[in-house]
Amino acid sequence: MLNKCLFPVAGYGTRFLPATKSMPKEMLPILDKPLVQYGVEEALSAGIRGIGFVTGRGKRAIEDHFDVSYELEDQVRGTNKESALVGIRELIEQCTFSYTRQIHMQGLGHAILCGRSLIGNEPFAVVLADDLCFGEGASVLGQLLEIFAEHRLSVVAIEEVPDERVHQYGVIAGEEVSKDLYRVSDMIEKPEQGTAPSNLAIIGRYILTPDIFEILQQTAPDTRGEIQITDALVQQAKQGKVLAYRFKGQRFDCGSLAGYVDATNFCYEELRSKGEK
Ligand code: UTP
């Protein structure tokens, strides 16, 4: 139903310095697989094959990851290591990859606007690969797609966060229209302590209708000079055109050290319980 998924991967990843000095944050592995591969797998599992990356300086490793590596593949051919490349090879065969660059890192909204040339005039998904999601049943993107199919409006994934962490997120205000589904009336990016309208925080999975590009173009940068996707979504929300869905599953904020370690432990336990390594 959707053809394209945008991955904004241009951010500096300063919370992971020095690891991210010359390596993209999105290439950090959870066990033996980089974060960005989990994200692309999620898009493909939701039936989306057109993958667009908004990259920046120092992010070439992402392009190389989604390409063949003849020498390496030749080396492991016929050995017991060959199976480790099956998953990535399938992604390369089944998806198409396109790239554009964000020259100045002016925030997530700006990065999405930079991706306009890759998307065109159609609804699209956005995945922030540093939010690692494991859906219950369908993937989180798959769950959002089901809602989009019915309503044809922008849909954001939300989760309940503890009060003391609300100020780190974009938070929604809205009315619950059916179980776990909210019609959004307002959104506040990183609300000051005690001012949040709810503790329902937006996480890194979105489905956006293409009018968002025009809105982003009109959206002024915030005090830090960043164009926030939340500010653009507020404009759609004021017209009743944004839904928020409390997804079923787990999310790990792998842009933070604690979330990254939690995700690693979670995946390792899963692997051990399957007796695979
Ligand atoms: P973050 O808020 O995690 O920022 O961006 P960051 O720069 O990557 O990391 P820190 O805070 O310095 O550690 C969320 C997502 O938006 C992308 C990032 O790559 C990440 O996937 N992003 C952010 C851009 O593509 N461009 C930007 O200008 C900002």
Side-chain angles (χ1 to χ4, degrees):
M1 186 194 354
L2 288 197
N3 299 314
K4 293 177 188 168
C5 182
L6 197 63
F7 286 75
V9 294
Y12 290 123
T14 52
R15 283 170 290 170
F16 267 92
L17 285 170
T20 47
K21 185 163 176 274
S22 65
M23 186 186 78
K25 168 172 78 172
E26 297 77 9
M27 287 300 291
L28 287 170
I30 298 293
L31 306 189
D32 51 12
K33 196 157 65 177
L35 281 167
V36 68
Q37 187 176 333
Y38 287 92
V40 173
E41 285 174 356
E42 185 178 334
L44 184 59
S45 80
I48 306 176
R49 292 169 186 269
I51 307 297
F53 287 102
V54 179
T55 72
R57 288 175 292 284
K59 299 279 181 167
R60 272 200 209 143
I62 296 174
E63 288 179 54
D64 289 339
H65 188 70
F66 293 104
D67 197 351
V68 287
S69 172
Y70 288 114
E71 204 179 314
L72 175 71
E73 289 179 37
D74 197 45
Q75 278 290 323
V76 300
R77 191 164 298 123
T79 74
N80 60 358
K81 295 190 179 125
E82 199 174 5
S83 61
L85 292 176
V86 170
I88 181 67
R89 215 178 278 149
E90 281 174 3
L91 287 186
I92 293 169
E93 278 164 16
Q94 292 181 47
C95 299
T96 57
F97 299 90
S98 46
Y99 300 85
T100 190
R101 277 200 179 205
Q102 185 185 22
I103 307 293
H104 304 289
M105 308 332 168
Q106 291 170 341
L108 177 58
H110 180 255
I112 291 173
L113 184 55
C114 289
R116 185 178 196 169
S117 58
L118 304 179
I119 300 296
N121 190 29
E122 54 184 283
F124 61 104
V126 175
V127 166
L128 305 187
D130 50 354
D131 263 346
L132 181 61
C133 292
F134 298 105
E136 243 168 60
S139 67
V140 175
L141 211 50
Q143 294 174 32
L144 297 192
L145 264 178
E146 269 180 41
I147 291 158
F148 175 77
E150 196 177 325
H151 300 273
R152 302 267 156 185
L153 300 171
S154 288
V155 192
V156 299
I158 50 170
E159 76 173 7
E160 226 169 301
V161 296
D163 288 343
E164 64 276 12
R165 297 223 324 264
V166 161
H167 68 280
Q168 299 169 350
Y169 292 91
V171 177
I172 69 148
E175 176 202 357
E176 192 168 10
V177 287
S178 60
K179 186 163 165 30
D180 296 327
L181 184 65
Y182 294 76
R183 189 174 289 274
V184 179
S185 55
D186 202 2
M187 289 177 173
I188 298 168
E189 184 62 32
K190 301 192 175 69
E192 279 176 31
Q193 216 93 39
T195 65
S198 74
N199 61 351
L200 297 171
I202 304 164
I203 63 126
R205 298 290 182 277
Y206 307 76
I207 291 175
L208 301 174
T209 52
D211 54 313
I212 199 76
F213 291 126
E214 284 304 315
I215 300 172
L216 278 168
Q217 209 138 35
Q218 311 294 327
T219 302
D222 64 11
T223 48
R224 289 164 45 205
E226 295 194 344
I227 296 177
Q228 300 293 349
I229 186 63
T230 316
D231 290 339
L233 278 166
V234 165
Q235 299 308 314
Q236 287 189 332
K238 297 237 184 269
Q239 300 167 41
K241 290 183 175 168
V242 180
L243 297 170
Y245 181 61
R246 187 151 38 162
F247 65 92
K248 292 175 181 57
Q250 292 224 45
R251 175 200 71 116
F252 296 94
D253 173 12
C254 294
S256 75
L257 269 183
Y260 181 77
V261 172
D262 286 347
T264 302
N265 289 335
F266 174 83
C267 291
Y268 190 59
E269 281 312 314
E270 292 275 291
L271 202 67
R272 274 188 2 161
S273 67
K274 288 187 202 146
E276 284 182 21
K277 271 192 184 169

